[in-house]
Amino acid sequence: MPVRTVAAAGGVVWRVREGRVEVALIHRPRYDDWSLPKGKLESGETELGAAVREIREELGARVAVSRRLRRVRYLVDAARKSVAYWAMRYLDGEFVANDEADAVQWLTPGNAGKLLSYDVDRSVVADFASVPTIDSVIVLARHGRAGKRSEWRGDDSLRPLDEVGIAQAERLAHFLPHFAPTWIFSADRVRCIQTVEPLAAALDTKVRVDAAFNDESFARSPSTTQTAVLALAKPDKVSVICSQGLTIPSLVDRLGPGVGSSDTRKGAVWVLSLVDGDVVAADYYEDCR
């Protein structure tokens, strides 16, 4: 008989206190163990959505997601469990004891490894600690589908999203808040602006339009566009930049650490995690749900 796979997700939630990085561990009364916060996916839920929900339910925390961490697999009750993890910066919230977690401890990664009950959790914390603490995040989003250029008779900069592109923009408005954006930028193309307008509305902020992020500007001076992007790497800030099919993958090639392929579908995003202005992780999300 095939082994059943149970999908779950969670996070290494971290904060800085008195100059030290601390991560959150929970005590689970059901198992009398110390664990990273995690839980099973609900019906129709994505891994990232489940991870953020579990953090909210178990820790009472609002977080800003950054880089992907390792996925762990192990057997539980004759089933194979697969748990995806992300690094998540603690923003605010208050822990209240509940059925899933009756206590929380914030510890340095080294001390967390001593308290955790399982090697798989220790391996995830070790993965988190293997990279310096992320200080900023830049999300590169390619605009949604906008029909065919050959069928558009007007100025191409005014070509709008089509029905599929509008749906992609709505998905981004639900997906990108997991990363807690601070600023939203767009190339000066209608299709780019429209792609992030629902996100801006959801966050009650505005889209800042900058021609430096369009394909023409990048083709003319890649270094200028790259400088404009990296200028947004401010401590504890998350910037979303919507651009086009030349600029996005080219920037990933120039900035991403060892990315195998920079191909970027319309409506997809790259999440760049930075330390002191250097990209230390580049995660691709093709299906932003």
Side-chain angles (χ1 to χ4, degrees):
M1 294 291 291
V3 177
R4 179 173 62 95
T5 298
V6 176
V12 175
V13 180
W14 63 274
R15 68 183 187 184
V16 177
R17 286 291 184 274
E18 298 180 354
R20 299 188 308 174
V21 174
E22 300 175 335
V23 299
L25 307 186
I26 60 169
H27 181 262
R28 301 187 300 176
R30 179 181 177 185
Y31 304 103
D32 188 23
D33 63 8
W34 285 94
S35 171
L36 294 171
K38 61 180 179 294
K40 298 175 185 177
L41 272 63
E42 296 181 350
S43 177
E45 197 171 34
T46 64
E47 288 182 329
L48 182 55
V52 173
R53 175 183 54 76
E54 288 289 340
I55 299 305
R56 183 176 63 251
E57 292 177 356
E58 295 184 352
L59 284 180
R62 187 172 66 92
V63 296
V65 176
S66 57
R67 70 184 181 96
R68 280 192 182 104
L69 299 176
R70 65 174 302 180
R71 177 187 298 273
V72 299
R73 296 178 175 87
Y74 51 93
L75 291 176
V76 177
D77 299 329
R80 180 182 293 111
K81 194 164 188 177
S82 174
V83 190
Y85 284 97
W86 281 263
M88 302 177 175
R89 177 168 56 91
Y90 173 82
L91 297 178
D92 55 43
E94 182 177 354
F95 172 76
V96 177
N98 55 77
D99 292 340
E100 295 293 329
D102 62 356
V104 62
Q105 286 206 45
W106 289 89
L107 302 170
T108 64
N111 287 333
K114 297 174 184 176
L115 181 62
L116 283 166
S117 300
Y118 307 107
D119 286 341
V120 289
D121 284 351
R122 281 189 279 272
S123 72
V124 176
V125 172
D127 184 12
F128 167 79
S130 68
V131 172
T133 306
I134 304 301
D135 57 33
S136 61
V137 172
I138 295 175
V139 179
L140 302 178
R142 187 177 176 188
H143 66 75
R145 205 180 78 174
K148 295 182 179 179
R149 179 181 301 184
S150 61
E151 296 177 358
W152 176 254
R153 302 305 179 192
D155 182 343
D156 187 62
S157 67
L158 302 178
R159 180 157 51 95
L161 297 178
D162 60 19
E163 290 184 3
V164 171
I166 292 171
Q168 290 170 324
E170 292 295 338
R171 285 200 293 272
L172 288 176
H174 291 284
F175 176 76
L176 290 179
H178 292 322
F179 301 89
T182 311
W183 299 310
I184 303 173
F185 292 85
S186 172
D188 58 345
R189 299 293 183 264
V190 166
R191 55 194 178 275
C192 294
I193 297 169
Q194 289 179 333
T195 297
V196 287
E197 280 181 332
L199 173 65
L203 299 177
D204 192 25
T205 189
K206 64 180 181 179
V207 178
R208 305 172 189 224
V209 180
D210 193 332
F213 301 128
N214 68 41
D215 275 356
E216 289 77 5
S217 294
F218 180 84
R220 186 166 54 248
S221 178
S223 61
T224 299
T225 299
Q226 179 174 320
T227 298
V229 170
L230 293 179
L232 301 177
K234 305 293 185 182
D236 296 335
K237 301 299 182 183
V238 179
S239 299
V240 174
I241 303 171
C242 187
S243 186
Q244 300 173 263
L246 168 65
T247 304
I248 297 295
S250 298
L251 284 171
V252 172
D253 284 336
R254 293 170 70 95
L255 298 173
V259 172
S261 172
S262 60
D263 290 348
T264 310
R265 298 189 63 177
K266 292 177 180 176
V269 304
W270 285 91
V271 176
L272 308 182
S273 298
L274 297 94
V275 177
D276 294 332
D278 294 324
V279 178
V280 297
D283 298 314
Y284 180 57
Y285 296 88
E286 182 172 307
D287 185 14
C288 300
R289 293 188 296 117

